[in-house]
């Protein structure tokens, strides 16, 4: 480390600042702070109060992003996140995900039916 290098290192290369986590996951620091508020992410704090994340936080953030993309809310994600990270279903705790999947399947079916109705209407209009 040179005299102009002001980074504080703990000797642990797997410890990430919020900026480093943001950079690795392409998730804004603001979103990462929101994840912390929602108990989806739990950083350690330095003596100065700075957030520090372990290397596993990268996978956790990416999983949270996938679950948001799947249409789940933070309150739906929080209870299933520990189970998904441990890769086992603890006494049916993935039931919420299964239920969400079933609701999506029903919604997709309704949308498909709607699209077919619109296709029929368009075909009838084009014939006249």
């Amino acid at each position: 480390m040179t005299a102009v290098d002001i980074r504080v290192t703990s000797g642990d290369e797997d410890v990430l600042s919020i900026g480093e986590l943001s950079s690795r996951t392409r998730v804004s620091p603001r979103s990462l702070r929101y994840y912390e508020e929602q108990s989806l992410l739990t950083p350690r704090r330095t003596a100065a109060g700075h957030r520090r994340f372990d290397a596993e936080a990268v996978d956790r953030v990416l999983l949270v992003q996938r679950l948001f993309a799947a249409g789940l809310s933070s309150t739906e994600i929080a209870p299933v996140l520990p189970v998904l990270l441990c890769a086992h279903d603890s006494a049916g705790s993935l039931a919420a995900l299964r239920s969400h999947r079933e609701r999506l399947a029903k919604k997709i079916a309704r949308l498909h039916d709607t699209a077919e109705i619109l296709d029929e209407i368009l075909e009838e209009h084009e014939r006249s």
Side-chain angles (χ1 to χ4, degrees):
M1 185 158 33
T2 66
V4 293
D5 190 345
I6 59 170
R7 289 177 295 159
V8 177
T9 59
S10 64
D12 188 354
E13 294 175 13
D14 291 329
V15 176
L16 308 171
S17 69
I18 194 166
E20 291 166 329
L21 183 59
S22 173
S23 192
R24 288 191 189 185
T25 60
R26 297 183 180 193
V27 174
S28 72
R30 182 177 180 183
S31 292
L32 295 174
R33 287 188 291 274
Y34 172 77
Y35 296 174
E36 181 183 359
E37 277 178 24
Q38 300 300 308
S39 300
L40 303 176
L41 193 57
T42 308
R44 295 187 314 252
R45 296 285 183 152
T46 66
H50 299 283
R51 292 170 177 85
R52 293 295 179 255
F53 301 90
D54 56 23
E56 289 80 27
V58 172
D59 291 334
R60 185 179 194 93
V61 168
L62 296 175
L63 179 56
V64 168
Q65 285 286 290
R66 289 181 67 204
L67 293 167
F68 276 131
L72 277 76
S73 69
S74 58
T75 56
E76 292 170 313
I77 294 171
V80 298
L81 192 58
V83 175
L84 293 173
L85 292 169
C86 292
H88 71 284
D89 186 356
S90 168
S93 56
L94 294 180
L97 286 180
R98 289 186 188 96
S99 175
H100 183 75
R101 173 66 174 90
E102 289 171 16
R103 286 191 309 273
L104 284 176
K106 289 177 183 175
K107 187 174 185 177
I108 289 167
R110 284 192 307 272
L111 289 171
H112 180 73
D113 291 345
T114 300
E116 285 184 351
I117 292 168
L118 288 173
D119 287 343
E120 290 171 5
I121 292 169
L122 288 169
E123 285 176 22
E124 289 172 9
H125 178 72
E126 289 170 352
R127 276 188 250 145
S128 33

